[in-house]
Structures are given as C-alpha cells and as structure tokens.
Amino acid sequence: MTATQAGTTALSRPIVLQGIRDSFAKLDPRVQVRNPVMFVVFVGSLYTTALGVAAALGMAPDAGRPGFVLTIAAWLWLTVLFANFAEAVAEGRGKAQAAALRSTRKEVQAKKLKGRRVEDGHTLVQASSLRRDDVVLVETLEVIPADGEVIDGVASVDESAITGESAPVLRESGGDFCSVTGGTRVLSDWLVVRVTSNPGEAFLDRMIAMVEGARRGKTPNEIALSILLSFLTLVFLLATVTLAPFSRFAVESAGVGTAVTAVVLVALLVCLIPTTIGGLLSAIGIAGMDRMVRSNVIATSGRAVEAAGDVDVLLLDKTGTITLGDRQASTFHAAPGVTEQDLADAAQLASLADETPEGRSIVVLAKQRFQLRGRDLAGTTHEFHKFSAQTRMSGVDLEGRRLRKGAADAVRRFVEAEGGAWAVAVTQQVETVARGGATPLVVADGKRVLGVIELRDIVKGGIRERFVELRQMGIKTVMVTGDNRLTAAAIAAEAGVDDFLAEATPETKLALIRRYQGEGHLVAMCGDGTNDAPALAQADVAVAMNTGTQAAKEAGNMVDLDSNPTKLIEVVDVGKQLLVTRGALTTFSIANDVAKYFAIIPAAFATTYPQLDAFNLMRLASPESAILAAVIFNALIIVVLVPLALRGVKTRAVSAAHLLRRNLLVFGLGGLVVPFIGIKLIDVLLAATGWV
C-alpha cells in the first residue's frame, strides 16, 4: 500500500471521531454560508431554537408546544451536523493521506555543485534552501533533495515512498526517464540533478495540497449544480413565506382551524429544499479526488477529474498500453535460395552488438531453433555497427562479410548501395509480416538479402473486452503508434480499437486531438516524453507518467505515480463514477420531496381544510408526528447516504441512455418509495414511544 493509500480504504475510527469534532467546528457561520442550501437549514435551526426557548419561557405562546418546537430544532441542528460530518469525513481521509505523505518528507543536506559538473566541487546546504536551476550531486544511499531532471549520470532509484513500488527504477540523463522526485533515494551510482521547483512547489507539496482539498475548488458541473440547488431553495423559500399569510386568511375566512405556525413552516421549508444533495455535494467531490489519489493518480484540480468522466475519445499508445511492449523475435522467414539456419546464423551475428530487447531476442531465438551458441570473435577481424535511430540497422563486418539487420527500407538502401538487387519475394514477406500485426526486420549479407525476421508484440490479455466496454459507454478508442499502417491496422483489428494513427509524430498527434475537439469531443491521452508535451497540453485530460520528463508532467493535468499507460482507462472510470454519483444522489434528493409533501402539507392545513386528510396516504398518527417524522427522516437519510457518497455509485459498461434509465429507476423511483416507508416507520415509533 502506498503512502497515498494509507488509512483511506475504510471509515476508520480515528477518521470518524475527527469527523465528529470537525462537524461542530464547521458550525461557524463563515463556513456555513459557503453552502446556500445548508445555510438556510442553519438559519432555520437558529430560529426554531430561539422560538423553542421563548415558548418554554412563556414568551411566545403562538409558537406551539415547547417540547415539539425544541425537538424540531434539535433535529434541524442534527441535519446541519450530519451534512458537516459527510464533508468532514471526506476531508479526514484526505488529511490522513497528507499525514502519510508528510511522514515521507525529511530535511536533508544537499551537495550543491558550484558549476554543472562533479569536478567543479560542491558545498553542503539544506534542501529547503534550493531554488529552481540549482544543480546538486546525489550519491549512493542519499536522498534526492528536490524535484529535478538528471543532467549527468545514471543510477537506480528507490521511489517506493512515492509510488509504493519496491522495485528500484533506472534514472539517467536525456530521454524520457530523466525526471526524479524529491524524497526518493539513490540506491547505486550517482546523479547530477538540475532542480526544477522552488520550495513549496515540489511534486510532494502539490500532492499534499490536493489530498487535503486545499486546492480542490469547485468544478464547473459542481458550480452549475450549486446554482441550481440555490435557485430551487429560493423558490421554495418564497413559496413557504407566502403560506403564512395565506394560512391566516384561510382560517379567518373559514372561521375554523388554526393558522400554520412559524416552526411548521421552517420544517416544511427544510424538508422541501434539496438538503440531501446539498449536504452531500461537497463530500462527493472530495471523495472523487480521493478515489483518484487511491489509484495513485494525482490530479492538478477537480476540474480534471470531472473532465475525465465526460471524455468520449481515448488516445492510447500501442506499446505498453495495448501491447505488452516487449517485442520478441518469433519466426525466421528465409528468402528464396537461403536456408532458415543460414538466415538465423547471419541474424545472430548481426545482433551481437544490438543491446535492445529485440536484438537480444533474436540471439535467443537462434539458439533455441538451431542451437547456435554465442560467438567468440576474439582473434578475428571484425567491426560492430550498433543500432541507432539514424541508421535503423545493426550489424558486423566480419572477415569480408558485411552483415546488416534492420528496418526494410534501411536495409534496402544498404543492399542497393552495395550493388545488390532487392528481391520482390522479400517485399512480399515484409508486407505479409506487417499485415499480420508484427514488425519485419530484414537481414542482408552485403548485396545479398537473406530474409526477414518477424518481431511480434503481444496484445494484452483482456484489453479487447475492455475496449468493448468502453464502446458500450460511448467512448471511442484510438491507438497511436509509430508503426507503419499495415502493422498498425493489424494490431488495431486484433485489439479491437475503433481507430488508429500510424507513423505518429508529435505534430500528427496534436493535429488529431485538435480535429476531435473541433468536432465537439473531449479527448484524453497519456504521455511521458518531451515530444508528448504539446499533445498533453492540448488534450482535455492529460495523464503524464511520473517517470517521464518534467516537460510532460508540467503539460499534463494528472500524474500517474505508477507510470502505467493503461491507467488512463481507470482514470476515465473514476471520473465517470464521480459524475454518476452526483447525478444519482441529486435525483434521489429531489424525488424525496414528494413523500414530504404528503406528510407535512396535510398536517399543516388539515384543521382548516379537512379535505386535505385524503392526501395523508401514509395515515400518520397526528400532525405533530407527521411533521417531526419528515424532519427526522430528512436528517437521517444524509447519514445513510454518506458511505455511498464516499464510495461512489457503481458504474457499468453501458450507454449513457441506459445508465440514465437505470439511475432513474433505482434512485428516482427509490427516492419516491423510500421516504414513504421511512417516514411511516418513524411515525409508528414516535406514536409507540409517546413522544408526540
């Protein structure tokens, strides 16, 4: 379990106790006013308490029975406290995470270099004094003092304090694995690190701020819903206020009954405004961030988490996401007139200087197929040609032989430069391998083409089924790869993605994202390199790998601590669950009001209009019992729904329309039925105990 996960998997006793204490602290009017719905309940609680005390002292004879008024006031206060508790518990889990993260922070001394090289010498300073662009030396078993980029050296680094993974990772200068995080430890060798953050701006600082909720803020959808809830509250407030003069007029006109009291009107108002979702709204947002953190993903804002739920286009890298990312030699395809063993022998020799995983797999395959052991080239005249991105070939010049192995077009240019001819059969072999979803490498001996090596990257198990689920949810998947179109098309068909981008470059990725956004889509992607930064900055949801470059992490709005490209799918799931939970509980809250109408309205006006007793469908014991039962249910339902708000409503791989129908059935119909049952049971208990 990672530091970010510690103490967050359940409602532990310390979190609950702290939540209770914070519930009372949040009774501060400056805190309550931030939530308009609950602020109305807060003011109503103050008012009914004052009326109850006045009635008890005989100063408000028209307020109603003192015991009844004070009981209503007590349950209104509990309604406020329960809403505070929901928010406090959600915040408490974040505070527990932050405490776990703070425990990983250590004040260490840093070896600040006087220049940019080890030879320049260093001075010992406190890590907290380091600033952006300072250069430090970190040696074996020393803690990296600040976030930065490796500019020299290579070392294995223990990042378990951040990621929870015990296996060390390699960090080196250049490439996509140069980023290091403050608080991690060098296990071997040394690194020269350029600091990329000032004090208080480090990655760990941002993590702590996010999990504490200090920078969560309200998301656009949350703001829109808050405005809607505030508007509904205002409407019900105006409607309730008009009932007082209407009731007095009705009593005077009919000459019977009693006018509705202020306490009853407050109870009616509290029960009709959307207190359930109003009390849980903040907790739902905080819990959504919490679930993202427990997935080991740090979002820069709640807006990013929410956007993840609205995403309808996913851009996924092929290597490491859709495939295992470990291409292995699987088959030798000899050219006409060449034996497979001769091809394997030449391929092995040409791969001796190739330190890539693909090159090593060719040596292994030759050994497995033809028992070709490693060669001792001592005493021979030879020259190795290592693989490079420019030549896209590797090989060896050995005793008059010029053996090369590499990409088809690169080897073709080599053969033709040697004066050889390119066989049509080899072209056909290359195309056949590519159409099969594998990568072809061609082997040549000078001007003679020997054949093709098939490198196959295996599609991950279960990934096709996952793409089917995403499609059912209305999400389009696009595979992005540098492979040629034939290979890309074959892998795309095998994996079951909806579309693909072959021979991808930073420019084509950016253009693809802009095209989808121009069509009205929300796009999510992940990346780790500097060349991914433009596309990450353009995407609506951009997940940067923690192992990636600083440029990638700054361009993204999320960082995956596990550096797992597949995590993008999980990010979308968490975001969608946040939106579904908020929508489901809003539906339930609004549907709740119907039962409360049938409980309080007949109770309030039955003395004046006996005909209204026909609406007393629940056959509640008395007007006081009906009103009190509705208020009690209104308070208790918040507590009952707290675990659901924190856990989230379970999502399914179905379309948005199907999900809407399901939520309307479960939470809409449930919101209608449950209050009738709950209010009736509370009424029976009140009548049985003689409280009213």
Side-chain angles (χ1 to χ4, degrees):
M1 181 175 290
T2 71
T4 59
Q5 292 172 305
T8 67
T9 56
L11 289 180
S12 62
R13 188 168 179 269
I15 290 177
V16 172
L17 292 177
Q18 185 61 47
I20 294 173
R21 288 192 291 268
D22 290 346
S23 299
F24 287 93
K26 289 178 177 290
L27 290 176
D28 186 335
R30 292 170 296 181
V31 177
Q32 292 297 311
V33 78
R34 299 172 189 170
N35 188 335
V37 178
M38 297 313 301
F39 183 69
V40 170
V41 183
F42 175 76
V43 173
S45 303
L46 289 172
Y47 181 64
T48 50
T49 302
L51 280 179
V53 172
L57 298 174
M59 300 170 60
D62 297 332
R65 190 165 57 89
F68 172 73
V69 178
L70 290 173
T71 304
I72 291 290
W75 280 102
L76 292 182
W77 281 115
L78 286 173
T79 303
V80 178
L81 288 171
F82 291 158
N84 291 348
F85 176 77
E87 183 177 24
V89 167
E91 292 174 346
R93 301 204 301 181
K95 291 176 181 177
Q97 295 171 14
L101 288 169
R102 285 196 181 94
S103 67
T104 66
R105 302 177 67 171
K106 300 176 182 177
E107 182 61 35
V108 297
Q109 285 191 319
K111 297 175 180 176
K112 182 179 178 181
L113 293 178
K114 297 176 181 179
R116 297 180 66 86
R117 300 180 302 172
V118 178
E119 295 79 10
D120 296 332
H122 65 266
T123 57
L124 291 177
V125 300
Q126 293 296 314
S128 57
S129 67
L130 294 174
R131 296 294 186 271
R132 184 188 294 269
D133 293 328
D134 286 344
V135 179
V136 296
L137 170 67
V138 190
E139 297 182 292
T140 303
L141 299 181
E142 293 181 351
V143 175
I144 297 174
D147 293 357
E149 287 187 339
V150 179
I151 59 175
D152 193 13
V154 56
S156 60
V157 179
D158 176 14
E159 296 185 343
S160 59
I162 303 297
T163 67
E165 296 294 331
S166 59
V169 295
L170 193 68
R171 293 290 177 263
E172 58 186 335
S173 60
D176 296 340
F177 298 94
C178 63
S179 179
V180 291
T181 304
T184 57
R185 184 182 296 272
V186 173
L187 297 180
S188 66
D189 302 298
W190 54 271
L191 297 171
V192 175
V193 178
R194 180 180 64 83
V195 178
T196 56
S197 63
N198 292 318
E201 301 173 356
F203 183 66
L204 194 60
D205 295 313
R206 297 201 304 271
M207 286 176 64
I208 293 171
M210 285 306 303
V211 298
E212 283 186 325
R215 297 181 186 175
R216 185 184 77 86
K218 288 188 176 181
T219 62
N221 281 351
E222 192 174 347
I223 293 172
L225 183 55
S226 297
I227 294 172
L228 174 62
L229 298 180
S230 300
F231 178 75
L232 288 175
T233 300
L234 180 62
V235 170
F236 283 121
L237 177 61
L238 295 174
T240 304
V241 168
T242 61
L243 288 178
F246 175 80
S247 176
R248 287 195 296 270
F249 173 79
V251 171
E252 292 172 0
S253 299
V256 295
T258 56
V260 65
T261 64
V263 173
V264 172
L265 290 177
V266 172
L268 177 63
L269 173 63
V270 170
C271 288
L272 294 185
I273 63 176
T275 52
T276 305
I277 185 61
L280 297 173
L281 186 59
S282 180
I284 293 170
I286 296 171
M289 294 291 295
D290 174 68
R291 286 193 293 276
M292 194 68 77
V293 171
R294 283 189 283 126
S295 299
N296 256 14
V297 177
I298 303 300
T300 58
S301 68
R303 181 189 296 267
V305 180
E306 188 176 86
D310 285 327
V311 161
D312 55 358
V313 175
L314 282 184
L315 264 58
L316 302 163
D317 280 331
K318 184 204 73 173
T319 306
T321 305
I322 295 173
T323 64
L324 294 176
D326 187 16
R327 293 188 300 180
Q328 301 289 308
S330 61
T331 310
F332 292 115
H333 300 278
V338 181
T339 67
E340 190 177 339
Q341 184 167 350
D342 288 341
L343 171 61
D345 181 74
Q348 186 190 60
L349 288 170
S351 301
L352 292 177
D354 187 356
E355 295 298 326
T356 65
E358 294 88 348
R360 291 194 294 270
S361 75
I362 293 171
V363 175
V364 171
L365 182 63
K367 178 182 177 182
Q368 291 174 343
R369 291 291 305 277
F370 302 104
Q371 289 72 52
L372 297 175
R373 304 285 175 177
R375 313 298 179 90
D376 185 7
L377 301 183
T380 64
T381 303
H382 64 274
E383 181 184 358
F384 286 120
H385 298 270
K386 294 185 178 181
F387 177 86
S388 70
Q390 288 74 33
T391 64
R392 295 193 296 159
M393 293 189 301
S394 67
V396 61
D397 296 338
L398 176 64
E399 298 180 341
R401 302 178 68 186
R402 291 172 58 82
L403 299 171
R404 296 292 186 272
K405 172 222 67 188
D409 57 339
V411 176
R412 180 169 186 167
R413 288 192 295 271
F414 170 79
V415 170
E416 291 174 348
E418 292 287 311
W422 187 262
V424 176
V426 175
T427 300
Q428 293 174 343
Q429 287 178 331
V430 169
E431 292 178 353
T432 300
V433 170
R435 279 195 294 269
T439 301
L441 296 180
V442 179
V443 181
D445 185 355
K447 60 183 180 181
R448 184 187 182 196
V449 182
L450 301 179
V452 177
I453 307 170
E454 181 176 335
L455 298 179
R456 186 163 292 278
D457 195 358
I458 307 301
V459 174
K460 289 182 177 180
I463 196 75
R464 185 180 184 90
E465 290 75 16
R466 195 66 188 275
F467 289 152
V468 171
E469 293 178 358
L470 291 171
R471 192 175 300 112
Q472 291 172 342
M473 296 166 66
I475 298 174
K476 181 178 182 178
T477 52
V478 182
M479 183 186 77
V480 179
T481 177
D483 290 339
N484 61 69
R485 289 193 60 82
L486 287 175
T487 302
I491 295 176
E494 184 180 355
V497 296
D498 299 306
D499 199 359
F500 66 91
L501 175 67
E503 300 172 351
T505 64
E507 292 77 17
T508 57
K509 288 182 186 178
L510 185 61
L512 182 65
I513 293 172
R514 286 174 174 171
R515 177 166 68 82
Y516 277 120
Q517 290 174 332
E519 295 172 356
H521 298 285
L522 288 180
V523 181
M525 72 162 291
C526 62
D528 57 3
T530 301
N531 62 343
D532 291 324
L536 288 170
Q538 182 67 37
D540 300 286
V541 176
V543 182
M545 302 295 101
N546 190 42
T547 57
T549 62
Q550 190 67 26
K553 288 195 281 189
E554 290 178 356
N557 48 28
M558 293 187 186
V559 177
D560 176 24
L561 302 182
D562 298 328
S563 299
N564 177 10
T566 318
K567 190 69 69 65
L568 184 60
I569 300 174
E570 190 173 339
V571 166
V572 172
D573 282 342
V574 172
K576 192 167 290 294
Q577 188 180 38
L578 170 64
L579 296 179
V580 169
T581 301
R582 187 184 295 152
L585 294 185
T586 300
T587 302
F588 185 90
S589 177
I590 294 174
N592 266 339
D593 291 346
V594 176
K596 298 165 190 173
Y597 275 112
F598 286 98
I600 297 182
I601 297 295
F605 297 96
T607 58
T608 306
Y609 300 105
Q611 299 88 343
L612 288 176
D613 190 61
F615 290 97
N616 185 13
L617 303 180
M618 292 173 279
R619 313 316 302 171
L620 303 178
S622 68
E624 286 189 349
S625 173
I627 294 168
L628 185 56
V631 172
I632 293 174
F633 176 85
N634 194 64
L636 293 180
I637 196 64
I638 296 177
V639 179
V640 172
L641 292 176
V642 166
L644 183 61
L646 298 180
R647 186 179 63 252
V649 175
K650 187 177 180 181
T651 57
R652 296 182 180 180
V654 295
S655 65
H658 188 280
L659 191 62
L660 178 61
R661 288 195 298 270
R662 173 179 170 270
N663 281 349
L664 286 176
L665 179 63
V666 176
F667 294 96
L669 184 60
L672 289 173
V673 174
V674 170
F676 279 96
I677 299 172
I679 291 173
K680 179 61 180 179
L681 289 175
I682 295 171
D683 177 75
V684 170
L685 290 174
L686 291 175
T689 56
W691 277 26
V692 292

